[in-house]
Amino acid sequence: MTTNRKHTRTARRLRLWWLLGNRHTRRQLGTIEDWKTRGVFWVGALTVGLVIQSFAWLSEESYGLTEAIFAYNPYLFLIITPLGLAAIVWVMNKGGKASRGSGIPQVLLAHKQNYHWLRAPFLSLRVAILKVLLTCAGLLVGATVGREGPSVHVGAAIMYKFGCWAKLKQRQVESSLIVAGGAAGVSAAFNAPLAGIVFAIEELQQSMEARTSGTFIMAIILSGVVVLAFAGHYSYFGVPEVSAMPFAYYPYIIGVSVACGLLGGLFGVLLVQGNRAMAPIVQKWPLRVALVIGLLLAVMAILSGGLTMGSGYVEAKALLAGEDEATWLTAVGKMMATLLTYFSGIPGGIFSPSLAAGAELGSAMGTFFPQVPPVSLILVGMASYFAGVVQRPITAFVIVLELTGNNHDILPVLMVSALTATAVSKLIMPEPVYHVLAKDLLRGWEHLLRDKEEQSAVRTDEPQAIK
């Protein structure tokens, strides 16, 4: 009996040890649902990288064709731009109004649990496809748009759809998928993984879940790996030659940052207020507004020699390489062209145009401070104006740093510039522009929530009526 009791006690101990060890192992390795979630993040990120890289190639080809037509006969755009914008608006209104604008306000709304009812219309594959094609069409007809905001929208839509197809059980993972998709879109668009991570934390931080943060960062890295595989290691704006700035130059740097921050904040106010004023007119006569704005953009392009068209990538790169010189008219023209294009309602972002306008401003201000290296002022202008527009200082200086070759000698200057510009911009525009645009966008889609609540009320009343 004693021997049997000992065997029984030993067996129980072994069984308990095995159960505890197995539980510890499962906690370390994760459950099947955890691995399913990781698979969705990783496969989705690779897909985002492929799609955004294709988007980049298509947009470059589109703008290359635009440059060729402009070189042949710039006056053709008096016809191409108005009719092209009208056609884009018509297709957008027929195919999916959720593809309108930059796409970042849509992602800001969709990732919040309070607005989960907006995910289906905002993050559908049809909207993502329209976003890519119509943004490229905007570049083709001479509009002033960037592809980085649309890349955020497209990346979020792809990741969200992968989550829907996988039928993940954890509802909070949907928000993390949307954030990861948007950040992967920035990473792939700029070939800047760090910028993608910082953008997600600074702009979309409310959806950062602790248990998915590692998978989220891996998704951003994987999308960047795809871009490296197809496009190689490159810096978006090249690798300009810059050196560390002595403290004697910092008063000039702060002066430029203050000016650019004020202009960035003013741009944000004009964008929001102008969009609100134009909204009822655009809703009533969308094609007429597109025709008028298209004609204005064409005239501005002809007067500037084509410098106000496109994302501004080519012009900013030329400035940093010392192959061109900026003027105040070009800088202001780029800002005005970006505003007009946004008012028309076509898909397209303000990331690249803002960086290009900042480069133009920094270069133009170089005439006031001849002792400061011109390239350094251009970089300061890019970081400070962009920070003034979006009011995200860390994102601003990290993006400019990564897009120009990661030269850490200029990092302290960029940090001071972005922080100064953001503080000054808030005096004019108290709330970040994307958040204000998101709130304005919500007003046009609240009917979906009302319809959903009415349908729920009808379903609730039906059993009572039967009784």
Side-chain angles (χ1 to χ4, degrees), residues 257-321:
S257 302
V258 168
C260 289
L262 287 171
L263 290 172
L266 178 62
F267 176 89
V269 171
L270 292 175
L271 185 69
V272 170
Q273 297 300 330
N275 195 51
R276 288 173 179 173
M278 291 292 296
I281 303 173
V282 170
Q283 188 174 4
K284 191 174 182 180
W285 298 299
L287 300 184
R288 295 182 186 179
V289 171
L291 287 169
V292 173
I293 289 179
L295 186 60
L296 290 174
L297 289 174
V299 171
M300 291 173 65
I302 292 170
L303 293 176
S304 66
L307 295 178
T308 58
M309 295 193 307
S311 66
Y313 161 76
V314 175
E315 292 78 18
K317 192 172 183 179
L319 287 173
L320 287 169

Side-chain angles (χ1 to χ4, degrees), residues 73 180 239 272 293 356 402 421:
N73 188 347
V239 185
V272 170
I293 289 179
E402 278 201 289

Side-chain angles (χ1 to χ4, degrees), residues 139-162:
L139 290 169
L140 186 62
V141 302
T144 307
V145 293
R147 59 177 170 82
E148 289 72 30
S151 295
V152 172
H153 195 176
V154 172
I158 291 173
M159 292 286 276
Y160 172 72
K161 277 302 174 184
F162 269 97

Side-chain angles (χ1 to χ4, degrees), residues 39-98:
V40 170
F41 271 91
W42 296 344
V43 175
L46 292 172
T47 306
V48 170
L50 286 170
V51 171
I52 300 304
Q53 181 58 30
S54 302
F55 185 15
W57 174 82
L58 187 59
S59 62
E60 288 172 4
E61 293 297 317
S62 299
Y63 187 64
L65 183 57
T66 300
E67 287 183 310
I69 297 173
F70 192 87
Y72 173 73
N73 188 347
Y75 293 99
L76 289 175
F77 282 90
L78 293 172
I79 300 173
I80 293 173
T81 306
L83 294 180
L85 285 189
I88 292 170
V89 169
W90 185 84
V91 172
M92 181 190 71
N93 288 337
K94 292 292 183 182
K97 292 183 179 180

Side-chain angles (χ1 to χ4, degrees), residues 173-371:
V173 174
E174 286 186 358
S175 295
S176 297
L177 279 169
I178 293 169
V179 177
V186 172
S187 172
F190 283 125
N191 190 21
L194 185 57
I197 295 170
V198 172
F199 172 78
I201 293 173
E202 199 172 24
E203 188 68 70
L204 307 173
Q205 59 186 342
Q206 294 178 4
S207 285
M208 290 291 288
E209 302 289 343
R211 61 183 300 179
T212 56
S213 59
T215 311
F216 157 82
I217 293 173
M218 179 60 72
I220 297 173
I221 293 172
L222 286 174
S223 68
V225 168
V226 172
V227 176
L228 287 174
F230 284 90
H233 183 72
Y234 71 96
S235 295
Y236 192 81
F237 287 117
V239 185
E241 294 184 5
V242 290
S243 57
M245 300 281 288
F247 283 108
Y249 289 168
Y250 271 70
Y252 310 129
I253 298 301
I254 292 174
V256 171
S257 302
V258 168
C260 289
L262 287 171
L263 290 172
L266 178 62
F267 176 89
V269 171
L270 292 175
L271 185 69
V272 170
Q273 297 300 330
N275 195 51
R276 288 173 179 173
M278 291 292 296
I281 303 173
V282 170
Q283 188 174 4
K284 191 174 182 180
W285 298 299
L287 300 184
R288 295 182 186 179
V289 171
L291 287 169
V292 173
I293 289 179
L295 186 60
L296 290 174
L297 289 174
V299 171
M300 291 173 65
I302 292 170
L303 293 176
S304 66
L307 295 178
T308 58
M309 295 193 307
S311 66
Y313 161 76
V314 175
E315 292 78 18
K317 192 172 183 179
L319 287 173
L320 287 169
E323 299 170 358
D324 200 358
E325 292 183 2
T327 64
W328 285 100
L329 287 176
T330 305
V332 174
K334 194 69 179 179
M335 295 164 61
M336 294 303 298
T338 306
L339 287 171
L340 288 172
T341 302
Y342 199 91
F343 295 157
S344 71
I346 69 169
I350 62 173
F351 254 66
S352 282
S354 295
L355 289 169
E360 299 279 355
L361 288 171
S363 180
M365 291 181 189
T367 56
F368 300 123
F369 311 110
Q371 62 272 43

Side-chain angles (χ1 to χ4, degrees), residues 108 198-199 201-205 383 386-399 418-419 422 426 431-435:
L108 284 172
V198 172
F199 172 78
I201 293 173
E202 199 172 24
E203 188 68 70
L204 307 173
Q205 59 186 342
F386 183 73
V389 172
V390 302
Q391 294 184 2
R392 292 293 180 254
I394 302 176
T395 299
F397 73 72
V398 168
I399 280 182
L419 290 169
T422 301
K426 286 182 179 293
E431 195 173 356
V433 66
Y434 285 129
H435 288 256

